[in-house]
Amino acid sequence: MESEYRTGKVLISEREIYDRVGALAATIASGTRSKELLAVGILNGAVIFLSDLVRRMPPELDVRIDFMSISSYGNAVQSSGVVRIMKDLGSDIEGKDVLVVEDIIDTGLTLSYLLKILQARRPANLRTCVLLDKSEKREVSVPIDYCGFTIPDAFVVGYGLDCGGRWRHLPDIRAVTGGA
Ligand code: 5GP
């Protein structure tokens, strides 16, 4: 049966995302003192954001990329609080300058769990960059070094974010309406 979910109005336009991602890339680059920056994208939601973000960083910065996948939401629209590593990093991060790139922070449970795991691997520096922050819903405090946009408590899709696997390809961020 087809899902009853529909995409609603555009909350953040393609142009706004483009401008903000450029500004974030510049701020991150100017705050990077190390020779090498490892950007860690959290699959699948951060793929598009990370791809755009690293391409806006200056060519002289040695940027590497890697990915991690942790389960949290599935098809539901509420945090389960259960997080599990589905795919780990391809390399050791000890002594490295690591930037965790995440699509959205809601309760904070996912990122908080992930940061504990990564911190235990003793990187030289561990920073976080999230595209969207639903700060109203925070249950645990998480250090966010770079944030794209603060948004109200709505379930959103587009620019990498999905609803049951759909709408990751949208170039903008839209609210989802309806439900089965
Ligand atoms: P948290 O653990 O902070 O509650 O949730 C973080 C994860 O929940 C995100 O990485 C994302 O997968 C999912 N999530 C939270 N809010 C939304 C939303 O509005 N839209 C989508 N597509 N995913 C969300």
Side-chain angles (χ1 to χ4, degrees):
M1 200 179 83
E2 275 295 298
S3 150
E4 299 291 326
Y5 292 115
R6 289 177 298 279
T7 59
K9 66 174 174 142
V10 173
L11 288 183
I12 306 170
S13 69
E14 198 174 348
R15 181 74 221 190
E16 287 172 300
I17 295 172
Y18 179 84
D19 290 346
R20 188 72 190 119
V21 169
L24 282 174
T27 308
I28 293 166
S30 68
T32 301
R33 300 275 159 264
S34 59
K35 285 209 321 277
E36 196 182 301
L37 176 69
L38 177 67
V40 171
I42 310 306
L43 296 172
N44 296 328
V47 162
I48 293 173
F49 177 39
L50 178 132
S51 310
D52 284 347
L53 187 70
V54 296
R55 283 181 296 170
R56 305 288 294 280
M57 289 187 180
E60 54 278 11
L61 189 65
D62 185 355
V63 183
R64 314 285 171 108
I65 62 176
D66 203 345
F67 294 93
M68 248 180 131
S69 172
I70 50 178
S71 71
S72 74
Y73 264 67
N75 284 350
V77 292
Q78 251 192 326
S79 184
S80 62
V82 179
V83 278
R84 188 157 61 100
I85 296 185
M86 311 296 283
K87 182 222 167 290
D88 208 338
L89 293 173
S91 61
D92 194 0
I93 59 165
E94 184 168 351
K96 295 201 174 149
D97 186 3
V98 177
L99 177 74
V100 176
V101 180
E102 175 66 305
D103 54 357
I104 186 165
I105 177 165
D106 188 5
T107 63
L109 293 167
T110 308
L111 200 50
S112 156
Y113 173 84
L114 190 65
L115 290 177
K116 277 193 197 111
I117 294 176
L118 295 178
Q119 201 69 67
R121 298 180 185 180
R122 309 198 310 173
N125 191 19
L126 185 61
R127 287 175 287 170
T128 53
C129 176
V130 300
L131 179 68
L132 305 172
D133 181 359
K134 282 203 249 180
S135 56
E136 286 168 41
K137 295 280 294 295
R138 196 76 84 259
E139 287 177 23
V140 288
S141 158
V142 184
I144 305 295
D145 297 290
Y146 309 99
C147 171
F149 303 91
T150 299
I151 60 165
D153 178 23
F155 194 81
V156 295
V157 293
Y159 199 69
L161 290 112
D162 75 318
C163 178
R166 296 183 72 191
W167 299 313
R168 289 194 199 277
H169 67 295
L170 298 177
D172 43 32
I173 307 281
R174 302 180 195 195
V176 168
T177 58

